[in-house]
Amino acid sequence: MTAPGKAQFSRRGVIAGGAATAAITTIPISESEAATMTTQAPPPTLPVSFEVNGKRQTMKLDTRTTLLDALREHLHLTGTKKGCDHGQCGACTVIVNGTRINACLSLAVMHEGDKITTIEGLGSPEKLHPMQAAFVKHDGYQCGYCTPGQICSAVAVLDEIKRGIPSHVQADVAAKPGFTNIEMRERMSGNICRCGAYSNIAEAMAEVAGEVA
Amino acid sequence: MKAFTYERAKTPAAAAAAVAKGKGAKFIAGGTNLLDLMKLQIETPTHLVDVQDLKLDRVEPTDDGGLRIGALVTNTELAADDRVRRDYGVLTRAIVAGASGQLRNKATTAGNLLQRTRCPYFYDTNQPCNKRRPGSGCGAIGGYARQLAVIGVSDACIATYPGDMAVALRVLDANVETVDAAGKARAIPMADFHRLPGNTPQIETALAPGELITAVTLPKPIGGTQLYQKVRDRASYAFALVSVAAVIQPDGTGRVAFGGVAHKPWRVEAAEAEMPRGAHAVASAVFAGAKPREDNAFKLPLAERTLAAVIAQAKG
């Protein structure tokens, strides 16, 4: 499971190992769970193939695997973050076939043939996506945990405004929306930032919007 | 999440047959509500029938001048459809008042109708809930009921239907088209689609087991000023405390349905005769027989004031 070129003792590995140890020593397994483990057939798996950041990926997955877990745990694309795992925080936002979704509320096996873009596919440390550069310039983050989801969402939001997708803050929903501050704020409401970088995120988006408008 | 098998159905009738024959089988479309509930083991299907290949993703004109909305049209696509924005503005407004951009991109028309209550006692598996575990009791009655229903309630359940889109569909007199395992189609008026809780709050809609929604149809446009006003605890991405869907004509007559107050979108057609007399007259008739709890009684004056705001906005 170690990704090529990664150190053997990554922070994630140590945390995961520590959690597993804690589970063995302190969390009791109920009788029914123990019975399930020993007597039930292995969980159903299915093959699935989709494109991530331009690269075809084929996996055999437990049907329960979310798109988020497929990206993080199977493809080691850990830029996409798991926050609430219930579609409430937006940390897992990725772009699928051109639209943003919560990767935690989607089964990987439902994405056969899809084209997925994660934060790793938007830009690189050497060549930042304009939205990544604008987040750096405008201090659009503090701890950074929600940032990959914020950036994927922000890129998709500008595209949604460009395509004329309506929003709750429009006085006239039949009209084309504009690249205004209130539009950015409304459309980003599915991405929660506990550090409260919202106003700077909206400024970063405004700068990029000025280039795409 | 409990383990399950998975298949992708090729036709609506095949999908309905696959769900009808397997106990514990469920349809999955966008999955945004079902997967959330599966993670909490509130829903524990043993087999999922994915309906994404059924080609039910178009909005098309009907012969009588209305629109047929495919079951798989996403909330975003439906809200953005030029015909809907122009002729059924209340529907676009209701959809964009709900959820987040990410969720609306995945949520489908049929799935949105079937989304389940956000009653905190339904979501907490340590609590009694007649909807989640029939016969276990209702923790909400006598509990924390601020968000819950004020009318149409029963001694078994005071949960609300949480959605916005359905409130607009109710005011527009939409119909829900379905197909069953035998391939038989029928249309269910929105008025009859969602049920009141009664003694069986676990049965939320008029759908038979395995019956699949294929489309929602809208009658020809009725004009008027179309508004959807949602009152919630924050400005975006929260469920309604109270919402009002209204179509108001220049002479002051009109239609109105309320969200966030009952187990279904709440509309009393007889009360609409009071529209020209104002919000108090309408709300008094709509909410006659209401049974609020102490901590959600505020919803009754809030509903009246929200309607008053909508009527004032329609006057311009």
Side-chain angles (χ1 to χ4, degrees):
Chain A
M1 292 288 280
T2 307
K6 288 272 171 70
Q8 289 296 314
F9 294 99
S10 70
R11 190 167 65 125
R12 289 183 62 244
V14 170
I15 291 168
T21 309
I24 290 161
T25 54
T26 64
I27 299 175
I29 295 169
S30 73
E31 275 179 40
S32 65
E33 277 172 333
T36 305
M37 283 178 187
T38 52
T39 60
Q40 272 197 348
T45 58
L46 282 174
V48 63
S49 180
F50 46 72
E51 201 178 293
V52 184
N53 303 328
K55 192 176 164 197
R56 172 68 50 185
Q57 301 283 359
T58 302
M59 288 160 281
K60 194 176 178 198
L61 297 173
D62 185 320
T63 52
R64 291 172 290 188
T65 311
T66 60
L67 177 59
L68 174 61
D69 286 340
L71 292 170
R72 287 182 55 83
E73 308 302 333
H74 295 265
L75 301 176
H76 307 290
L77 292 168
T78 53
T80 308
K81 296 294 186 271
K82 181 181 279 192
C84 68
D85 209 25
H86 284 278
Q88 296 171 0
C89 75
C92 67
T93 302
V94 296
I95 301 169
V96 177
N97 300 335
T99 61
R100 58 183 170 140
I101 68 166
N102 297 311
C104 75
L105 286 186
S106 202
L107 294 173
V109 293
M110 294 178 75
H111 287 282
E112 181 66 38
D114 283 352
K115 288 183 163 56
I116 296 151
T117 303
T118 69
I119 190 71
E120 292 93 342
L122 283 180
S124 65
E126 298 75 34
K127 193 170 185 300
L128 295 178
H129 183 280
M131 190 65 77
Q132 292 172 314
F135 266 60
V136 172
K137 180 178 166 188
H138 291 275
D139 269 343
Y141 54 87
Q142 286 180 42
C143 83
Y145 194 81
C146 72
T147 311
Q150 297 278 3
I151 290 175
C152 284
S153 206
V155 168
V157 160
L158 297 192
D159 182 56
E160 285 168 17
I161 296 175
K162 203 171 163 187
R163 287 188 288 129
I165 304 291
S167 93
H168 173 64
V169 293
Q170 281 180 261
D172 175 8
V173 289
K176 268 185 88 75
F179 291 89
T180 61
N181 182 266
I182 191 167
E183 284 286 355
M184 313 279 189
R185 294 171 71 100
E186 161 60 23
R187 289 166 193 267
M188 291 295 287
S189 70
N191 290 83
I192 310 298
C193 170
R194 199 166 66 174
C195 303
Y198 298 114
S199 58
N200 293 354
I201 290 170
E203 281 178 24
M205 291 175 70
E207 175 167 318
V208 180
E211 291 162 18
V212 302
Chain B
M1 209 188 296
K2 297 284 189 188
F4 56 85
T5 48
Y6 167 90
E7 70 175 293
R8 276 167 91 141
K10 295 283 185 293
T11 68
V19 168
K21 80 163 190 261
K23 195 174 179 296
K26 271 196 167 293
F27 302 114
I28 185 164
T32 53
N33 190 207
L34 182 58
L35 287 171
D36 179 28
L37 295 170
M38 285 168 66
K39 289 179 181 193
L40 297 165
Q41 296 191 14
I42 294 167
E43 295 274 15
T44 52
T46 53
H47 183 63
L48 287 183
V49 178
D50 183 347
V51 296
Q52 70 174 301
D53 296 334
L54 301 188
K55 300 184 176 68
L56 301 172
D57 55 357
R58 296 239 177 87
V59 181
E60 294 167 324
T62 60
D63 293 340
D64 62 0
L67 287 180
R68 174 173 285 105
I69 304 156
L72 297 174
V73 173
T74 67
N75 281 179
T76 298
E77 290 161 350
L78 182 55
D81 187 283
D82 285 339
R83 294 159 293 187
V84 175
R85 292 163 86 157
R86 183 187 66 224
D87 298 330
Y88 306 95
V90 65
L91 181 54
T92 287
R93 287 182 180 282
I95 291 170
V96 298
S100 67
Q102 290 96 316
L103 290 167
R104 292 192 297 269
N105 282 343
K106 206 84 190 84
T108 63
T109 303
N112 193 264
L113 285 174
L114 297 176
Q115 70 169 318
R116 306 203 65 193
T117 187
R118 265 57 176 193
C119 174
Y121 297 89
F122 174 74
Y123 259 78
D124 183 349
T125 52
N126 294 310
Q127 297 284 342
C129 173
N130 288 319
K131 186 184 282 296
R132 177 168 34 75
R133 202 148 54 84
S136 64
C138 173
I141 296 173
Y144 178 73
R146 181 172 176 272
Q147 296 150 297
L148 303 179
V150 293
I151 195 160
V153 297
S154 73
D155 292 339
C157 181
I158 59 169
T160 54
Y161 171 78
D164 296 296
M165 182 192 78
V167 186
L169 292 178
R170 178 73 180 89
V171 91
L172 291 169
D173 282 334
N175 280 283
V176 181
E177 295 188 344
T178 69
V179 65
D180 68 12
K184 191 168 165 289
R186 67 165 173 157
I188 307 166
M190 267 303 289
D192 304 328
F193 184 78
H194 292 104
R195 294 163 42 108
L196 289 179
N199 291 321
T200 53
Q202 74 277 18
I203 304 171
E204 295 169 347
T205 70
L207 295 175
E211 191 173 6
L212 175 74
I213 298 173
T214 53
V216 171
T217 56
L218 299 176
K220 70 177 185 200
I222 56 167
T225 300
Q226 305 204 359
L227 298 169
Y228 188 80
Q229 185 75 50
K230 180 175 179 178
V231 183
R232 43 188 163 175
D233 283 333
R234 56 182 185 227
S236 184
Y237 199 21
F239 288 97
L241 291 167
V242 162
S243 69
V244 172
V247 180
I248 301 174
Q249 302 297 340
D251 63 1
T253 62
R255 302 176 181 182
V256 61
F258 293 83
V261 295
H263 202 254
K264 61 190 288 186
W266 194 254
R267 180 177 174 199
V268 178
E269 275 89 339
E272 291 169 2
E274 304 290 336
M275 281 293 278
R277 277 180 285 282
H280 180 68
V282 177
S284 300
V286 167
F287 292 102
K291 281 190 185 165
R293 316 291 309 180
E294 190 183 353
D295 51 357
N296 68 6
F298 73 93
K299 286 193 176 190
L300 294 172
L302 183 60
E304 181 181 321
R305 288 170 196 166
T306 308
L307 177 59
V310 165
I311 292 172
Q313 196 184 337
K315 280 180 184 160

